[in-house]
Amino acid sequence: MISRIFLWNHRDRETRSILFGSLCHCASVVPFFIIAYFRQALYWRFTILVLFTSFRISAQTLGGNSVFNFLKLSNTPQLTALGGVNISQPSNDVGLAFNNPALLKPSMHSQLNAVFNDFYSGIKIYHLSLGYRNEKLNTNFSWGLNYLDYGNVSETDASGNVFGKFRPRDWVMQVSASRAYEEKWNYGATLKFISSSYGQYSSNGLALDIGILFNDSSKLFSASIVAKNMGTQLKKYDGSDGDDLPFELQIGLTKRLAKAPFGFSLTAQRLQQFNINYNDTVFNNENGFENDNDKKFTFGKLINHFVFATTIYLGDKVEVQAGYNFLRRKELNIGNTGNGLNGFSMGAGVKLGKLQLRYARAYYQNSSAFSQLGLNMKLNEYFGLGKWGEKIGW
């Protein structure tokens, strides 16, 4: 084992999934989708239907059987506070749109979201998102970058002999676009370039996200569906076969109470497969734990799909949020015993005029948690671009 990092991307061969009919089919569908995006809304919606029906998803990988699993990590404090998975929260936070392009809206024009994440074992995660509204195209755009720096790691062989050090890193850069349809609908797409480098082993790939959002502001209700990480590896790790990207289908609902300062969200994740429990038979047998019956229906298998979150609105300037991720709790428990507060998360946001400050804390272990700090600011309210800015609608 070269380092702890390879544990994240070690691929078993117990289960496989088919995300595309073929690579050629993907290459033909994606350009067709991009062209259709800028045409009339009804034609665009038909294109989405064709995309969904053309991807043959017969199974899905579990555990460490897919590549680029860092794409599942929460990139911004508000998302982390809401349980790490949320696609329907109505908020003027361009960082949330990084995970669902349908959340992009005109008010995010020139908004910058910058996040620092002090993860476990000295791992640093940096995030940037920037929104832009083009009135001529009647379209919202965003650019985003998520960068993971694992620090210097000793390179060893199987016997533990040290050959030196290397600096592993993962990152994803993406562009998104969204449009409104009638008054209550929004739809969007994200194109991602993904890169992973662990010393002499490196890989990259392309992925596509598609999201649709229904938002009824009069009833304080929103709902969304997102298909994430539909793509393929462009370059494989040396000495390995091609692997699947962590495709995921999500559905989310959010409701804010009209006469109380509370909002609630329920998000269902990994809906492309019912049983998403990771069943390590060797570990279970060695430690006397019961193995999971894949064919048997249980309430636990159902509830593990859900992430519950709540928001408390303390006036117009302060928000307090908390979330509970059932799957995270299940995966980080040992057997049937609890493990502290893992699965729980919390955070707060403060709106200070032109700035938004957000902080979140999420628990993955019994006695420790990681923290996230984020800043949102409208760049056009601080920096002018002169005549060039007027031309581009800055």
Side-chain angles (χ1 to χ4, degrees):
M1 175 170 56
I2 294 181
S3 72
R4 68 180 186 276
I5 304 304
F6 286 106
L7 291 174
W8 291 16
N9 284 278
H10 178 69
R11 283 88 64 195
D12 300 321
R13 294 299 187 270
E14 298 176 356
T15 58
R16 302 290 296 172
S17 69
I18 303 176
L19 299 183
F20 298 94
S22 66
L23 180 58
C24 292
H25 181 68
C26 172
S28 63
V29 170
V30 172
F32 175 74
F33 168 78
I34 295 173
I35 295 172
Y37 177 82
F38 293 101
R39 298 183 180 178
Q40 57 184 340
L42 290 176
Y43 187 66
W44 196 93
R45 291 169 69 194
F46 175 76
T47 305
I48 293 178
L49 179 62
V50 172
L51 278 168
F52 275 108
T53 56
S54 63
F55 296 136
R56 299 185 294 116
I57 306 167
S58 59
Q60 181 58 31
T61 54
L62 295 176
N65 299 320
S66 59
V67 294
F68 309 139
N69 283 290
F70 69 94
L71 296 174
K72 300 177 183 178
L73 295 176
S74 174
N75 63 289
T76 191
Q78 185 169 192
L79 183 63
T80 298
L82 293 169
V85 183
N86 190 295
I87 58 173
S88 57
Q89 177 78 1
S91 175
N92 189 31
D93 181 358
V94 72
L96 285 181
F98 188 84
N99 289 275
N100 180 6
L103 290 174
L104 274 174
K105 52 187 179 181
S107 61
M108 296 176 182
H109 174 65
S110 82
Q111 184 185 126
L112 175 71
N113 174 235
V115 180
F116 172 75
N117 185 350
D118 187 11
F119 208 60
Y120 295 105
S121 300
I123 299 172
K124 308 297 182 184
I125 306 179
Y126 307 93
H127 172 77
L128 286 175
S129 286
L130 178 63
Y132 174 74
R133 168 70 178 179
N134 189 302
E135 292 294 345
K136 292 183 178 180
L137 295 176
N138 194 30
T139 304
N140 310 302
F141 295 95
S142 72
W143 169 90
L145 172 69
N146 220 32
Y147 187 91
L148 288 79
D149 181 2
Y150 302 103
N152 291 320
V153 178
S154 296
E155 182 175 357
T156 66
D157 59 15
S159 300
N161 299 310
V162 178
F163 296 100
K165 293 184 178 294
F166 68 104
R167 197 177 188 90
R169 59 190 180 274
D170 290 318
W171 59 271
V172 55
M173 184 181 296
Q174 64 184 50
V175 289
S176 304
S178 76
R179 278 185 174 181
Y181 176 68
E182 296 184 344
E183 295 182 359
K184 299 178 181 179
W185 293 89
N186 217 45
Y187 56 90
T190 296
L191 183 63
K192 307 176 181 180
F193 179 79
I194 312 157
S195 178
S196 181
S197 177
Y198 305 143
Q200 63 180 346
Y201 300 95
S202 63
S203 177
N204 55 55
L206 282 176
L208 179 71
D209 295 353
I210 298 175
I212 301 174
L213 173 72
F214 173 80
N215 184 25
D216 190 340
S217 57
S218 63
K219 296 183 179 180
L220 303 177
F221 173 80
S222 60
S224 185
I225 180 171
V226 178
K228 306 183 68 173
N229 301 322
M230 299 180 289
T232 187
Q233 279 182 287
L234 299 177
K235 180 181 182 298
K236 306 171 186 177
Y237 294 103
D238 291 344
S240 70
D241 298 325
D243 287 275
D244 303 311
L245 271 65
F247 171 82
E248 186 168 350
L249 183 64
Q250 301 174 350
I251 295 178
L253 308 171
T254 298
K255 171 65 178 178
R256 181 173 177 178
L257 303 183
K259 298 182 179 180
F262 298 101
F264 300 95
S265 293
L266 184 65
T267 307
Q269 59 177 327
R270 305 190 191 183
L271 293 176
Q272 72 280 354
Q273 183 170 345
F274 176 69
N275 184 9
I276 56 176
N277 294 339
Y278 182 67
N279 188 35
D280 189 335
T281 56
V282 175
F283 178 83
N284 292 339
N285 293 335
E286 289 178 351
N287 294 275
F289 299 132
E290 183 180 356
N291 285 306
D292 181 49
N293 186 340
D294 185 65
K295 297 182 180 179
K296 182 180 179 180
F297 175 88
T298 64
F299 179 74
K301 292 177 183 177
L302 176 64
I303 200 68
N304 283 341
H305 285 276
F306 293 100
V307 179
F308 177 76
T310 183
T311 301
I312 304 174
Y313 299 92
L314 303 178
D316 297 330
K317 303 296 183 182
V318 180
E319 298 175 355
V320 178
Q321 296 169 319
Y324 182 76
N325 190 315
F326 287 89
L327 179 63
R328 185 188 302 166
R329 178 78 176 181
K330 169 68 176 178
E331 289 182 334
L332 296 180
N333 285 348
I334 301 175
N336 295 320
T337 62
N339 191 12
L341 292 176
N342 66 42
F344 287 91
S345 56
M346 61 197 71
V350 180
K351 302 175 184 178
L352 303 173
K354 301 176 182 179
L355 298 176
Q356 294 183 44
L357 293 176
R358 294 190 179 272
Y359 172 81
R361 188 170 177 84
Y363 291 85
Y364 284 78
Q365 296 181 11
N366 185 20
S367 59
S368 64
F370 81 89
S371 299
Q372 245 179 357
L373 181 64
L375 169 70
N376 288 46
M377 60 186 296
K378 295 270 288 184
L379 293 182
N380 63 354
E381 296 182 0
Y382 289 89
F383 308 102
L385 299 179
K387 295 183 178 179
W388 184 72
E390 294 178 2
K391 292 181 179 180
I392 64 172
W394 183 257

